[in-house]
Amino acid sequence: MTDRPMRDPADEDLTRVDSLAHEIFAGIANKWALLIVNVLGKDTLRFTELHTRIDGISHKMLTQTLRHLERDGLVDRFVHAQIPPRVDYHLTTAGQELRATVNGICGWTRRHLDHVEAARNRFDAGQ
Amino acid sequence: MTDRPMRDPADEDLTRVDSLAHEIFAGIANKWALLIVNVLGKDTLRFTELHTRIDGISHKMLTQTLRHLERDGLVDRFVHAQIPPRVDYHLTTAGQELRATVNGICGWTRRHLDHVEAARNRFDAGQ
DNA sequence: CGGCATCCCCCAGGATACTG
DNA sequence: CAGTATCCTGGGGGATGCCG
């Protein structure tokens, strides 16, 4: 938004709010984006399929997040010229690479359900 | 909030909004939580150190997110009985495990700065 | 079916200030 | 220095409706 040209890529840092790196990171580090990347996996899914597979996401957020991922080159969008419309989504190579590490977080979550639950009980017990 | 007892761990699914897995995942899948985990790394840092290392985070969000991570058993909190107060934060074993994959996302971001920038230019060019 | 625009509400989260 | 509490605003995000 503000004009801030000629930024040296070397000083791009995730922890600098005004850096490109931080901005890209922030756009990905939210549950809907990560879930979409995870659910897409290696598949090619159409809009409605994603919508049904990702419980709780609104029509609007799905569209919006998919646009964002497409713009950042994580998702390819294929529009079939037919009625009714059919639009397919697929992870790009870069998207696939991200998916690999996102799956790590998903896996971690599933493996630590009990750990977290126990920690919460302990924490809540001591106020 | 709603009483939903006796949930079979087997049907815990990240994509079910009312599942424990989704709730835990959602609490972690946001930029501040991930950045804190990343910045903490293997170090032991006090509140102020975190605050200065993570540009842009407010006092309130840092406290709040640290509490959340502590409650979920990702962060250990050490309060030194002294004046002025000194509070140290350190990743638990579970936190370290998560950090490994979070670093993957951070690394991915840094490696794909150019890719994303180019994709954005292409996207914006075609409207 | 999928996209986009509109309306609108709620709360995430920033700013500020007071304690121990 | 660290934590908690209060206030207040912006925009995230849901609901709805209309197009191609």
Side-chain angles (χ1 to χ4, degrees):
Chain A
M1 295 308 153
T2 61
D3 59 323
R4 184 178 11 83
M6 305 300 167
R7 163 170 278 288
D8 178 19
D11 65 11
E12 288 291 357
D13 184 346
L14 279 182
T15 64
R16 296 284 144 205
V17 277
D18 56 355
S19 74
L20 176 63
H22 182 94
E23 201 252 316
I24 294 173
F25 180 79
I28 292 169
N30 69 78
K31 73 169 182 175
W32 292 135
L34 295 183
L35 275 182
I36 289 175
V37 168
N38 180 57
V39 167
L40 264 180
K42 296 189 173 300
D43 298 339
T44 296
L45 299 177
R46 50 194 301 185
F47 185 88
T48 309
E49 289 173 325
L50 281 167
H51 195 241
T52 49
R53 291 198 196 193
I54 303 177
D55 181 53
I57 194 170
S58 68
H59 187 95
K60 178 182 173 180
M61 282 313 294
L62 182 54
T63 309
Q64 188 171 305
T65 309
L66 281 171
R67 280 294 161 281
H68 185 88
L69 294 176
E70 185 195 357
R71 190 172 108 96
D72 281 6
L74 297 179
V75 164
D76 276 332
R77 180 166 172 267
F78 304 99
V79 182
H80 301 264
Q82 63 183 56
I83 301 284
R86 177 194 180 93
V87 182
D88 289 333
Y89 292 93
H90 184 77
L91 289 181
T92 63
T93 303
Q96 300 282 355
E97 290 173 31
L98 179 62
R99 182 183 70 94
T101 89
V102 169
N103 281 347
I105 297 187
C106 296
W108 180 94
T109 304
R110 282 188 272 261
R111 282 195 309 278
H112 290 77
L113 291 178
D114 292 345
H115 170 86
V116 172
E117 209 165 21
R120 288 184 175 182
N121 289 145
R122 256 178 282 120
F123 184 90
D124 295 343
Q127 278 83 349
Chain B
M1 294 307 152
T2 62
D3 60 323
R4 184 178 10 82
M6 307 298 169
R7 163 170 280 286
D8 178 19
D11 65 11
E12 288 290 358
D13 184 348
L14 281 182
T15 65
R16 296 285 143 205
V17 278
D18 57 354
S19 74
L20 176 63
H22 181 94
E23 202 253 316
I24 294 173
F25 180 79
I28 292 169
N30 68 77
K31 73 169 182 176
W32 293 134
L34 295 183
L35 275 180
I36 289 175
V37 168
N38 179 57
V39 167
L40 264 180
K42 297 188 172 300
D43 299 340
T44 295
L45 299 176
R46 51 193 301 185
F47 186 86
T48 309
E49 289 173 324
L50 281 168
H51 195 247
T52 48
R53 292 197 195 194
I54 303 177
D55 181 54
I57 193 170
S58 68
H59 187 95
K60 178 181 174 180
M61 281 313 293
L62 182 55
T63 309
Q64 187 171 305
T65 309
L66 281 170
R67 281 289 163 285
H68 185 87
L69 295 176
E70 185 196 359
R71 190 171 107 97
D72 281 5
L74 297 179
V75 164
D76 274 332
R77 179 166 173 268
F78 304 99
V79 181
H80 301 264
Q82 63 183 55
I83 301 284
R86 175 193 182 93
V87 181
D88 290 333
Y89 292 94
H90 184 78
L91 289 182
T92 62
T93 304
Q96 300 282 356
E97 289 173 32
L98 179 61
R99 182 184 69 93
T101 89
V102 169
N103 281 347
I105 297 187
C106 296
W108 181 93
T109 304
R110 282 188 273 261
R111 283 195 308 278
H112 290 77
L113 292 178
D114 292 344
H115 170 86
V116 172
E117 208 164 23
R120 287 183 175 183
N121 289 145
R122 256 178 283 120
F123 184 90
D124 295 344
Q127 278 87 353

